[in-house]
Amino acid sequence: MLLYIFFVIYHNESRAAVVSYLLSILIIFIMYYGENYVKILWMRFGLLIYLISTITYILLPLVIENPFDQDINNSLHVRWELMYRGAEYIYGNPLIGSGLGEFDRATSTATIGYLPTTPHNWIIQLGVETGILGLILFVLLVGTLIDQLVILYQEDKADWALPISVSLLLFPISGLGPSDVLVNTQIFWIILNLAIIITIVSKNPRWE
């Protein structure tokens, strides 16, 4: 089953999804068979990954020129350009977002290339549309949920907490694939709601 799912994802040529899928299997394997060691080393790992991803995606295009040749790989070239323009807008307007759905207007994506003028990066999109405050609040919410789910799994309070936490943990990677993640990736919002429900119910058994 695992191999079948892998080949289906690979056949659809989703690079981010392939990396996320392989990492998810690796993380679940480590969590399941090395639980005692992971419990010691966890230390808010989910929140840390989200914060590092946020800082990286915003700063990287500002300090490194586009490494992709447009003639060889126009897709990656355009995505990097989208990241750069978004990061540049965030740097110039850190407190005031452009407003929901206004990424295209705020970053003038019409002149970038043949790809749809959508962010292709949910962190950049949130930073542009809601400002740094909105982005950080969202990162804190999801990162904290991930860590709470891991704690619940390690305390044997919720078996489903592990796959749900891993799915949320890998969203910063898989979120680089689709053209408009926050709008079109409904599965993320379903997983996020499941994470909230599992956390609330597990911490309040009377609600089961």
Side-chain angles (χ1 to χ4, degrees), residues 115-129:
L115 284 179
T117 54
T118 47
H120 286 272
N121 185 308
W122 69 270
I123 288 176
I124 293 294
Q125 180 181 1
L126 271 180
V128 169
E129 297 183 2

Side-chain angles (χ1 to χ4, degrees), residues 1 80 191:
M1 179 65 73
W80 188 279
I191 293 173

Side-chain angles (χ1 to χ4, degrees), residues 48-110:
L48 183 62
I49 289 295
Y50 265 70
L51 289 174
I52 290 175
S53 299
T54 299
I55 294 171
T56 300
Y57 291 146
I58 293 176
L59 293 184
L60 197 63
L62 292 177
V63 298
I64 299 178
E65 292 186 4
N66 196 328
F68 302 106
D69 190 301
Q70 189 169 13
D71 295 328
I72 297 176
N73 198 325
N74 189 54
S75 174
L76 293 178
H77 176 87
V78 169
R79 289 170 196 243
W80 188 279
E81 190 67 21
L82 286 165
M83 284 178 57
Y84 168 72
R85 295 197 183 185
E88 192 176 42
Y89 181 88
I90 294 170
Y91 180 76
N93 306 271
L95 300 179
I96 303 175
S98 66
L100 296 178
E102 294 296 319
F103 180 89
D104 299 351
R105 178 190 60 79
T107 57
S108 302
T109 59

Side-chain angles (χ1 to χ4, degrees), residues 32-190:
Y32 186 79
Y33 288 102
E35 186 173 344
N36 292 332
Y37 300 102
V38 174
K39 188 173 184 178
I40 298 174
L41 297 173
W42 186 258
M43 298 296 290
R44 295 291 178 185
F45 187 67
L47 181 56
L48 183 62
I49 289 295
Y50 265 70
L51 289 174
I52 290 175
S53 299
T54 299
I55 294 171
T56 300
Y57 291 146
I58 293 176
L59 293 184
L60 197 63
L62 292 177
V63 298
I64 299 178
E65 292 186 4
N66 196 328
F68 302 106
D69 190 301
Q70 189 169 13
D71 295 328
I72 297 176
N73 198 325
N74 189 54
S75 174
L76 293 178
H77 176 87
V78 169
R79 289 170 196 243
W80 188 279
E81 190 67 21
L82 286 165
M83 284 178 57
Y84 168 72
R85 295 197 183 185
E88 192 176 42
Y89 181 88
I90 294 170
Y91 180 76
N93 306 271
L95 300 179
I96 303 175
S98 66
L100 296 178
E102 294 296 319
F103 180 89
D104 299 351
R105 178 190 60 79
T107 57
S108 302
T109 59
T111 61
I112 289 179
Y114 78 90
L115 284 179
T117 54
T118 47
H120 286 272
N121 185 308
W122 69 270
I123 288 176
I124 293 294
Q125 180 181 1
L126 271 180
V128 169
E129 297 183 2
T130 67
I132 288 293
L133 179 59
L135 173 60
I136 293 300
L137 288 175
F138 185 81
V139 165
L140 289 176
L141 166 66
V142 183
T144 302
L145 267 177
I146 292 171
D147 293 324
Q148 288 298 312
L149 289 170
V150 172
I151 292 172
L152 291 174
Y153 171 75
Q154 292 173 338
E155 294 177 348
D156 294 325
K157 292 183 179 179
D159 292 336
W160 277 102
L162 178 59
I164 296 295
S165 65
V166 172
S167 297
L168 290 177
L169 181 63
L170 293 172
F171 185 65
I173 299 174
S174 62
L176 296 179
S179 59
D180 198 344
V181 180
L182 296 175
V183 174
N184 295 328
T185 312
Q186 290 88 348
I187 187 63
F188 169 75
W189 299 107
I190 294 173

